[in-house]
Amino acid sequence: QKEVEQDPGPLSVPEGAIVSLNCTYSNSAFQYFMWYRQYSRKGPELLMYTYSSGNKEDGRFTAQVDKSSKYISLFIRDSQPSDSATYLCAGFTGGGNKLTFGTGTQLKVEL
Amino acid sequence: GAVVSQHPSRVICKSGTSVKIECRSLDFQATTMFWYRQFPKQSLMLMATSNEGSKATYEQGVEKDKFLINHASLTLSTLTVTSAHPEDSSFYICSAKTGGANTGELFFGEGSRLTVL
C-alpha cells in the first residue's frame, strides 16, 4: 500500500464548476499536508499548506484535512481553464526531510 | 513564494556522456536542497538530499556514483548524471526548503527534461 493514495484521473469539469480533489494516506505521523499544482512539463508549485486537521482557505482554494479518517481534500471554486493541471498532494511528518507525494490527479477544466 | 531556478530546462545528449543540471535558490539561502525524478504520469521520487558543505544523502536504490550531487554554496546545488543511458531519460526536479526545519515547505524549480539518445 502506498503511503499516499490519489486517483490519477483525468477529471474533466465544465468551467465554473466546484472541483473536489482527494487523497488518503496511511502514515499516522504526518502532521503537515501540502497541495501542489503542476502544469505540463513544469515543476510543481506550492498551492496550499496546512498543519494538522482543519480547513484553510486561500481565494478560490480550500484545503481540508481530516486526520481521524486520514483524508485530505482540495476544493476549487469557480474553476477556470487555467486551473487545468495535475494536482499533487503530499504529507510530511515534521521530522527529517522527506515529503511523501501522491501520484497526482490530472484536472481538465473545459470551456 | 520563494524562487528556485533550474537550468537547463531541456537537454538531449548521447549515451555515455555526462550531463550537469544546476539548481539555484534566487531570493533565499537554502542549506538543504532536494533532487527528485519524475516519470510520465507518476509521482515525484526523491533521489537525494543535498546539504551545503557536506555529502548528499541518497535514497535507497539511487546510485550515488551515477548521480553526483554537489552543494557548493547556500544558493547552488548541481546534479550530474554520469555516463547517461536511455533509461536515465526523465524529468529531474530540484527543490529547496524555506522556513523552519520541520515545516516541510518546499519550493520547486521548473524541472529539467533529460533525453538520452
Side-chain angles (χ1 to χ4, degrees), chain B residues 18-21 65-70 78-82:
Chain B
S18 294
V19 174
K20 180 185 283 188
I21 302 169
D65 295 330
K66 173 77 170 175
F67 301 99
L68 299 178
I69 292 172
N70 188 323
T78 60
L79 168 68
T80 302
V81 183
T82 63

Side-chain angles (χ1 to χ4, degrees), chain B residues 62-79:
Chain B
V62 178
E63 299 176 62
K64 60 180 180 181
D65 295 330
K66 173 77 170 175
F67 301 99
L68 299 178
I69 292 172
N70 188 323
H71 194 152
S73 76
L74 288 171
T75 60
L76 174 64
S77 176
T78 60
L79 168 68

